[in-house]
Amino acid sequence: MGNRIWSAGLLVLALAGCSAPDPASPAAARKEASASPSPSAGPLADDYVGVLNDHYVADLSSSGAPKGAAFDPNAASIRGPHYAVALAESVAVAELPSIVTTRITSEHGSRATLRPNPGHELLLARFTKAPLSPMSDSKGSTQEVVVGDQRRPLAGAIADGTLLAVSVPQGAPVSLQITDDGRAQSIDLRTGAAGRVDGLYPRYGAHADTMGSWITPAGSDMIPLGISLDFELTPWVEGSGWAPAGQAWLSYEVDAVLYGDGIDCDIDMGRTLSLSGAGFKASGAGTFTVPSYVASLTTNTPTHTGVVAAPANLRSVSIGWSLHAGCSKGGAAVKFSIRSNAGGSANLKAED
């Protein structure tokens, strides 16, 4: 899509104000032989935006542009639910470098130099691979360039290797803004400063284990039900969207192993699992079916997941565990007694 937009604009520029000479005319032949290799085309529109996704410019200086500003992708990057982009470098020029012009005009045989109107400049921005991946594999972001209070939609998505050219008033502020699921983030194309959603950079996570219950099924020895939990605190979760203002989603995954031959248990997570912290209290939900250890040897360890709203600044979680379950063996209910329950705690730490 990006190539077609560049090429279409250049074709209009190349044809505007020009009349094709009569190929049979000797004068025309002499003029063709002495033509300049880089004739000037009409100026670009003041709201011009070109997106070239072709991976052919390794760096802007190699394309003939003057040395500009280079950026750390870890700092000059943004990511959302459905995108991730990183700015590598940018520079303002009076016209597009010849290697770029030749590349994007070659389909039409035009060698016209691309220049903005007086009082304007072309800001070139090259993007590289983002250090973090999108949070979801699906698509759905809206990308645009913001120049002052003017917004210019992009016809092609920014990706690793994208070259973006924008006609802007000299020295005017210009940024890439991406809106995803109703939340906007941005990168200043002159300074690399990133306007980010709190909680995405960094992510906070935690792991807690050595929890669970000791139970004694009727007619059997005491057996352990061991559990561990993994947490992630993030402002966006697939299926739940963005968390309410001032909050984040605390996602958790419970792993369990029941060390009893033939004993299976259906755990009532709403009554068994509780989570709490500063300004925060929540319970689990649903039923977690845990097969016996022998049965689970041939399958993946069973897991149970959940998402609850929590304060965005939550950094410590207390885990309560008080087993409420129904157990069976061979399809028949098994009565059991609980010797002990053990909960735990987890400290959320920055992961990115």
Side-chain angles (χ1 to χ4, degrees):
M1 177 66 76
N3 284 336
R4 291 199 296 273
I5 291 174
W6 282 75
S7 300
L10 292 165
L11 179 58
V12 171
L13 292 171
L15 295 178
C18 298
S19 300
D22 181 359
S25 166
R30 288 194 299 274
K31 184 176 180 181
E32 176 67 22
S34 61
S36 168
S38 299
S40 178
L44 294 169
D46 288 346
D47 62 353
Y48 176 81
V49 176
V51 181
L52 184 61
N53 286 318
D54 207 7
H55 297 270
Y56 75 93
V57 177
D59 58 77
L60 293 177
S61 60
S62 70
S63 72
K67 185 174 180 60
F71 305 106
D72 176 4
N74 291 295
S77 63
I78 53 177
R79 70 160 186 161
H82 309 102
Y83 73 91
V85 300
L87 179 64
E89 57 179 329
S90 70
V91 65
V93 298
E95 63 183 48
L96 275 181
S98 59
I99 187 174
V100 178
T101 302
T102 299
R103 178 74 178 218
I104 63 180
T105 61
S106 60
E107 293 182 12
H108 299 288
S110 170
R111 300 176 187 172
T113 299
L114 296 178
R115 296 188 180 96
N117 276 312
H120 284 64
E121 60 190 355
L122 281 174
L123 186 74
L124 304 183
R126 182 178 67 84
F127 293 83
T128 188
K129 181 177 176 60
L132 298 174
S133 300
M135 303 166 72
S136 171
D137 293 334
S138 57
K139 306 295 182 182
S141 64
T142 300
Q143 305 190 4
E144 56 190 353
V145 171
V146 180
V147 182
D149 59 358
Q150 182 189 72
R151 296 178 177 274
R152 308 178 192 177
L154 299 185
I158 301 297
D160 177 18
T162 294
L163 180 63
L164 178 65
V166 189
S167 176
V168 299
Q170 292 178 352
V174 53
S175 62
L176 171 69
Q177 181 170 295
I178 303 181
T179 303
D180 196 349
D181 203 7
R183 297 288 293 274
Q185 299 182 86
S186 63
I187 303 176
D188 188 310
L189 297 183
R190 293 190 187 272
T191 68
R196 296 169 160 179
V197 171
D198 290 341
L200 285 177
Y201 320 88
R203 293 179 299 177
Y204 285 87
H207 175 78
D209 52 23
T210 65
M211 297 176 292
S213 303
W214 284 92
I215 67 173
T216 305
S220 299
D221 295 330
M222 185 169 60
I223 58 175
L225 168 65
I227 67 162
S228 64
L229 278 85
D230 287 294
F231 294 99
E232 182 177 355
L233 188 70
T234 176
W236 186 91
V237 168
E238 184 86 58
S240 299
W242 295 102
Q247 293 188 301
W249 296 121
L250 182 66
S251 302
Y252 62 86
E253 181 176 88
V254 186
D255 290 272
V257 178
L258 179 59
Y259 293 96
D261 186 6
I263 302 292
D264 303 326
C265 291
D266 295 325
I267 303 174
D268 181 347
M269 294 297 285
R271 300 170 66 195
T272 298
L273 177 66
S274 63
L275 306 171
S276 60
F280 164 67
K281 192 172 184 178
S283 298
T287 300
F288 184 17
T289 299
V290 182
S292 70
Y293 173 70
V294 172
S296 65
L297 285 175
T298 59
T299 61
N300 294 325
T301 302
T303 61
H304 176 82
T305 59
V307 177
V308 295
N313 61 355
L314 182 72
R315 295 295 179 267
S316 180
V317 180
S318 294
I319 305 161
W321 183 266
S322 179
L323 183 64
H324 289 76
C327 297
S328 62
K329 183 173 183 178
V334 173
K335 292 183 178 181
F336 65 92
S337 59
I338 300 174
R339 172 67 179 270
S340 64
N341 290 306
S345 62
N347 292 321
L348 296 160
K349 297 180 180 180
E351 295 183 334
D352 294 332

